[in-house]
Amino acid sequence: MSGSVANNAGRASGVIAAAGGGGKLLAMETVTNSTRTATPATGSAGVVTSLLSASYTKTSATSDLIVECLVPLWNDNAGAMDIGLYDGTTFFTGIWCYNPTNNIRFSHTVANFGTLSAASHTISWAYRSGSGGSAPNAYANPNSTDEGRFTQQHTTFVFSEVEA
């Protein structure tokens, strides 16, 4: 895991003000995962399958936790499913491309989980099938095992904690 906290030089509070006013960015952290991971088929329709996850510790109980995630995917895929981010309670759907050929494609999700407690929160990249027994693709984070010209691909989670 890697991460950094955003900070404006010259701001005594260490808080970054949002462009045009509004909320303040309290912290920002990036977490990457470069493990090639098989995507198992879901057991039944509507069941959420969490695959890749990252954790972030919020500093304020009144701030929003906004998470962005980009996942590279490889091989055949199913079209009847939702892909997105999941905190164990709430599932936010994201964007992905259905294409029934062996290609690399990406899942991209931005989700505002709202005012979760000032504690550690684990957010997962997840999927749920509309029909059961299917997966979004064969692998997340493909590498040269999948296609000889690939370098190791990686998933990126970006956590932003924003005070209203």
Side-chain angles (χ1 to χ4, degrees):
M1 291 178 29
S2 64
S4 62
V5 176
N7 186 359
N8 275 30
R11 288 186 61 90
S13 67
V15 173
I16 297 174
K24 294 177 183 168
L25 181 62
L26 300 180
M28 191 171 206
E29 182 177 328
T30 301
V31 179
T32 60
N33 177 324
S34 59
T35 303
R36 180 178 179 264
T37 305
T39 53
T42 59
S44 58
V47 174
V48 176
T49 301
S50 293
L51 190 64
L52 303 167
S53 62
S55 296
Y56 175 79
T57 301
K58 280 187 66 202
T59 60
S60 170
T62 59
S63 64
D64 284 355
L65 180 60
I66 301 169
V67 183
E68 180 175 14
C69 183
L70 182 64
V71 182
L73 302 166
W74 175 255
N75 212 324
D76 292 338
N77 60 325
M81 68 176 35
D82 294 324
I83 294 179
L85 295 174
Y86 184 58
D87 70 351
T89 304
T90 306
F91 184 85
F92 289 94
T93 58
I95 298 169
W96 77 297
C97 172
Y98 171 73
N99 186 346
T101 61
N102 292 345
N103 289 329
I104 191 165
R105 58 193 55 80
F106 297 91
S107 164
H108 183 235
T109 306
V110 178
N112 186 343
F113 285 91
T115 55
L116 302 175
S117 63
S120 179
H121 297 279
T122 299
I123 306 297
S124 298
W125 176 77
Y127 52 94
R128 65 179 173 207
S129 175
S131 60
S134 57
N137 289 89
Y139 295 97
N141 300 329
N143 59 28
S144 61
T145 302
D146 304 298
E147 161 56 63
R149 298 169 289 183
F150 282 167
T151 58
Q152 179 62 61
Q153 305 296 299
H154 63 273
T155 294
T156 301
F157 288 87
V158 179
F159 295 91
S160 300
E161 186 174 350
V162 180
E163 193 72 66

